[in-house]
Amino acid sequence: MWIFLARRLLQSIVVLIGVTLVSFVSLQMGGDPTYLFVSENASFEEIARARKALGFDRPLHVQYLSYIWNALQGDFGNSLSYRQPAMDVVLESMPATIELTFFSLVLAIGLSIPLGIYAALNRGKPVDGGIMTFAMLGQSIPNFWMGIMMILFFGLYLRWFPISGHVAFLEPLFEGDLATAFSNLPHSIYYMIMPAIAVGTYTLARNARLIRSSMLEVLEQDFVRTARSKGISERRVIMYHAMRNAWLPVVTMIGLEFGFLLGGVVVVETVFSYPGIGRLVFNAINQRDIPVVQASVILLAIIFILLNLIVDIIYARLDPRVKL
Amino acid sequence: MADTTPTQRGAVSLEKGGVIASSRQKEFRRALQSLTTSRWALIGMLILLVVSFVAIFGPWLAPFDPNRQNIMMRLLEPGQTGAADLTYWLGSDQLGRDVLSRLLYGARVSLLVGVAAIAVGGTLGTVAGLVSGYFGGWIDDVIMRLGDIQLAFPFILLAIMFLVVLGPGLVNIILVLGIGQWITYARIVRAQTLSLREKEYVEAARAMGDSTFSILFRTILPNIVAPLTVIASFNVAGVILSEAALSFLGLGVPPDVPTWGSMLSESRDHLLSNKWWMAVFPGLAIVFTVLAFNIIGDWLRDFLDPRLKENS
């Protein structure tokens, strides 16, 4: 167990170094990065001064080492538009994004398991066809367009849901104000329903298909036949024997899904003017606020790597065939 | 028998050619039969044909110049007639440009980006996978770890990071989306190459003194084309979705090139005033195109490997 953990941790560190290297290289790809940090009509003297101040006049390897050193301390420079440390700006937007990503993950996984199993148990029947058609469509609809369509129909036409905004749940929770956090929760969910559906539909559709085919495979295996032949009720066979094995592939995917959902959130937040990291990145792109874009991307990558590490450990615990 | 005359050899190879040709014909017939009996695959193929037709002949089909602005004709509803008795079948946008014409031109960009990015990513990934699987050792380690690092980023974030610095543009977006896909191909090709390099016919090629290049590209590659086509089909769908998302964020192609994603981006500002046509039609175009590629991918997978058949 400890050897596995140490090895996985080491791998994650190597990947993290790679992540910083990639983001450093991306900065250098457009030529002299100084131009990204000064206004368009800056004079030569101002550019030269900025180059020196930002350290872009030093050799590349020195720049990279100091980049890593600063990154380790969470220092990505000052935001060009907010005039405060980029990481602080990003961290402020983080809780809202985590709320939305987590909620869409719960929604997607929570619905895909019963849908996939139901389709598998009714293989070939119209209901199976219906679920699979829905799944196929769900994998073909761009999440941001789905958001726009929901705004038009459920927001503006039926007026069932708010088309923008957010009620904080995690922020008061982190501050220890439990009463506010939990009184906010229903409103928070109400505001998140449309964005979460937009973000989660793709994952829901893909997982429903994955669970269906995994369940079909498991149902044909010997241990299920043995369980049935022992006279165990069909319900128990499905709930205890088949399901436990059928959702393993889903657990493996959860870490990756979270990363995928984070990517989706970035785009969908802009549609719903949701005050998370996605809208921040969108605005930073438009204002060419490079430190904020870099800090956001790296922070999201770190979360993604850590989650995958945790998922690997959970997976190894769930499936005894995987040796720790 | 070793002493065959040139004519005999020619006859043998002709005969062999005939066998290959007839087996190819058989395979083609089987594909055609499977395609026509599967309702979904037929629908997918039909949509794809229509989109390809539009992508090629768009400029001749479009009633208007997609970039011609006409402020007098802005935000017309679908079916309204403008000046010179020309009808805006799908309405007009905030600058008075015809939505239908922009949609028809947009098909070209979406398909071009989809196919070109897959060509870039597929070629890079295939070469990397072949080299990685065939040579193994440290080359394999380096290539696969590079892939791990790339997979540590949610792809859209990686694309955002590069495009913010490089700036939007058709070539940039094709390169970024293409490079984003290489590892998918590299992993599959590597796994296949690992098992194929031990096969007798590869050993035979080696024993006959074929060059490494020839073994990799003439002996191994043709045997792994089938799984690659399946992945490519799904991948085109994914790339079209990513392109739309990046264009939506303002990181796609320049504003004078109409794309479905940028049309959706422009529609955002007019949602509150209920100019629904600006959002509905480009979105539907993306959905149908992506759906077609997904359906074809499913069908190809079932056709090439019936054991994996999912939707019976």
Side-chain angles (χ1 to χ4, degrees):
Chain A
M1 171 86 179
W2 294 112
I3 297 172
F4 167 81
L5 267 180
R7 211 177 50 213
R8 263 314 261 105
L9 211 64
L10 201 72
Q11 267 177 8
S12 302
I13 292 171
V14 171
V15 171
L16 266 176
I17 294 174
V19 166
T20 56
L21 192 64
V22 170
S23 72
F24 178 75
V25 169
S26 81
L27 255 188
Q28 306 288 337
M29 277 184 69
D32 183 353
T34 315
Y35 292 97
L36 298 168
F37 294 85
V38 293
S39 71
E40 272 174 28
N41 36 23
S43 66
F44 276 119
E45 288 77 33
E46 280 172 330
I47 293 172
R49 220 177 306 133
R51 187 177 294 127
K52 200 159 171 51
L54 292 163
F56 291 136
D57 55 342
R58 295 171 298 172
L60 273 183
H61 65 279
V62 179
Q63 280 188 47
Y64 177 60
L65 287 178
S66 89
Y67 180 83
I68 284 208
W69 180 243
N70 291 336
L72 275 176
Q73 298 163 344
D75 179 7
F76 287 85
N78 274 344
S79 156
L80 303 180
S81 39
Y82 294 87
R83 305 277 164 208
Q84 52 171 315
M87 204 35 127
D88 291 358
V89 177
V90 175
L91 284 174
E92 265 170 40
S93 310
M94 206 61 208
T97 296
I98 300 269
E99 278 168 26
L100 180 55
T101 313
F102 187 72
F103 186 51
S104 22
L105 187 70
V106 170
L107 213 65
I109 303 284
L111 286 175
S112 64
I113 292 176
L115 277 180
I117 291 176
Y118 195 66
L121 295 178
N122 291 289
R123 184 186 189 172
K125 290 182 192 162
V127 59
D128 177 30
I131 293 174
M132 284 304 105
T133 308
F134 160 77
M136 189 59 127
L137 263 174
Q139 280 186 291
S140 308
I141 299 180
N143 49 21
F144 58 95
W145 185 65
M146 181 121 174
I148 293 175
M149 289 299 102
M150 281 195 293
I151 287 180
L152 279 174
F153 191 68
F154 295 109
L156 295 171
Y157 182 68
L158 294 176
R159 298 191 178 275
W160 284 359
F161 296 102
I163 58 168
S164 66
H166 163 248
V167 177
F169 166 68
L170 281 182
E171 255 179 295
L173 193 72
F174 288 156
E175 285 160 11
D177 187 357
L178 290 181
T180 316
F182 285 99
S183 74
N184 277 358
L185 189 60
H187 299 285
S188 180
I189 291 178
Y190 180 56
Y191 273 85
M192 276 194 298
I193 283 183
M194 287 212 296
I197 293 175
V199 174
T201 300
Y202 186 95
T203 305
L204 164 62
R206 188 170 50 187
N207 277 335
R209 294 181 68 172
L210 191 70
I211 289 170
R212 175 184 179 272
S213 56
S214 161
M215 188 76 182
L216 284 177
E217 208 173 287
V218 170
L219 283 176
E220 276 167 18
Q221 284 190 1
D222 290 343
F223 71 88
V224 173
R225 202 172 312 138
T226 312
R228 277 185 181 145
S229 66
K230 282 200 291 191
I232 297 170
S233 72
E234 188 64 21
R235 189 186 161 81
R236 207 181 151 81
V237 170
I238 289 160
M239 298 295 280
Y240 289 90
H241 296 256
M243 235 166 83
R244 212 189 136 132
N245 287 282
W247 68 301
L248 273 178
V250 179
V251 178
T252 340
M253 296 286 285
I254 284 180
L256 287 171
E257 292 296 3
F258 199 83
F260 184 81
L261 288 171
L262 271 178
V265 164
V266 168
V267 189
V268 170
E269 278 182 3
T270 62
V271 177
F272 288 94
S273 304
Y274 186 88
I277 217 166
R279 207 181 56 162
L280 184 75
V281 169
F282 179 72
N283 291 336
I285 289 171
N286 286 331
Q287 291 155 357
R288 300 195 55 78
D289 192 346
I290 305 290
V292 168
V293 176
Q294 289 245 322
S296 314
V297 170
I298 290 204
L299 187 68
L300 291 175
I302 290 173
I303 293 176
F304 184 45
I305 291 167
L306 286 179
L307 267 170
N308 273 312
L309 183 70
I310 295 169
V311 165
D312 270 6
I313 296 168
I314 296 177
Y315 183 62
R317 282 217 154 272
L318 270 179
D319 189 350
R321 282 169 298 187
V322 179
K323 274 202 188 121
L324 282 182
Chain B
M1 252 328 264
D3 224 350
T4 44
T5 60
T7 5
Q8 275 175 309
R9 248 186 270 157
V12 170
S13 85
L14 255 180
E15 199 180 297
K16 214 167 118 192
V19 171
I20 291 170
S22 86
S23 94
R24 275 201 188 138
Q25 272 172 4
K26 229 189 259 170
E27 190 73 353
F28 182 71
R29 229 175 289 146
R30 194 168 77 88
L32 212 62
Q33 203 179 14
S34 153
L35 193 65
T36 45
T37 49
S38 157
R39 198 175 26 163
W40 275 107
L42 212 59
I43 294 173
M45 205 52 110
L46 209 68
I47 300 174
L48 212 57
L49 279 176
V50 172
V51 177
S52 311
F53 180 81
V54 167
I56 297 167
F57 298 104
W60 289 278
L61 298 169
F64 293 88
D65 174 348
N67 287 322
R68 200 185 70 189
Q69 302 180 7
N70 185 349
I71 220 72
M72 304 293 288
M73 298 294 146
R74 63 195 295 269
L75 300 170
L76 290 183
E77 279 189 29
Q80 265 187 285
T81 306
D85 272 351
L86 279 169
T87 308
Y88 290 80
W89 291 110
L90 301 183
S92 66
D93 67 8
Q94 76 284 5
L95 296 172
R97 297 172 299 191
D98 178 38
V99 171
L100 175 63
S101 304
R102 292 180 72 72
L103 209 62
L104 293 174
Y105 271 83
R108 193 171 266 213
V109 180
S110 282
L111 279 196
L112 176 72
V113 171
V115 174
I118 296 308
V120 171
T123 312
L124 269 176
T126 305
V127 173
L130 280 172
V131 170
S132 193
Y134 189 77
F135 293 107
W138 67 269
I139 300 181
D140 182 28
D141 271 345
V142 169
I143 293 178
M144 286 301 118
R145 289 303 81 76
L146 271 177
D148 286 346
I149 291 172
Q150 181 168 329
L151 288 176
F153 278 103
F155 170 65
I156 197 99
L157 297 179
L158 195 72
I160 287 174
M161 199 156 76
F162 277 92
L163 285 172
V164 163
V165 176
L166 291 175
L170 196 59
V171 176
N172 285 351
I173 200 164
I174 288 173
L175 283 178
V176 168
L177 289 174
I179 292 171
Q181 310 299 320
W182 76 274
I183 182 64
T184 317
Y185 296 89
R187 284 189 158 185
I188 304 267
V189 170
R190 174 181 174 271
Q192 300 273 335
T193 309
L194 274 178
S195 73
L196 285 181
R197 73 172 180 190
E198 310 298 338
K199 289 261 177 333
E200 280 95 352
Y201 64 86
V202 176
E203 261 175 49
R206 219 176 289 141
M208 277 165 64
D210 280 3
S211 66
T212 310
F213 182 87
S214 160
I215 293 173
L216 286 179
F217 292 95
R218 296 210 187 100
T219 314
I220 295 180
L221 186 61
N223 288 294
I224 48 182
V225 169
L228 287 183
T229 49
V230 177
I231 300 172
S233 177
F234 285 120
N235 232 342
V236 173
V239 167
I240 291 177
L241 283 178
S242 300
E243 184 273 327
L246 290 168
S247 292
F248 182 75
L249 291 176
L251 289 171
V253 294
D256 59 320
V257 183
T259 70
W260 296 339
S262 57
M263 288 171 79
L264 283 177
S265 181
E266 286 160 9
S267 79
R268 257 187 76 216
D269 299 332
H270 301 276
L271 283 184
L272 288 178
S273 50
N274 206 16
K275 305 290 181 270
W276 56 270
W277 57 92
M278 284 177 65
V280 169
F281 298 118
L284 282 178
I286 298 174
V287 172
F288 278 116
T289 310
V290 172
L291 187 66
F293 277 110
N294 276 336
I295 293 174
I296 301 286
D298 262 2
W299 169 76
L300 261 177
R301 185 194 53 203
D302 294 345
F303 175 73
L304 293 172
D305 189 355
R307 278 170 308 167
L308 293 173
K309 193 157 182 158
E310 194 185 45
N311 301 322
S312 53

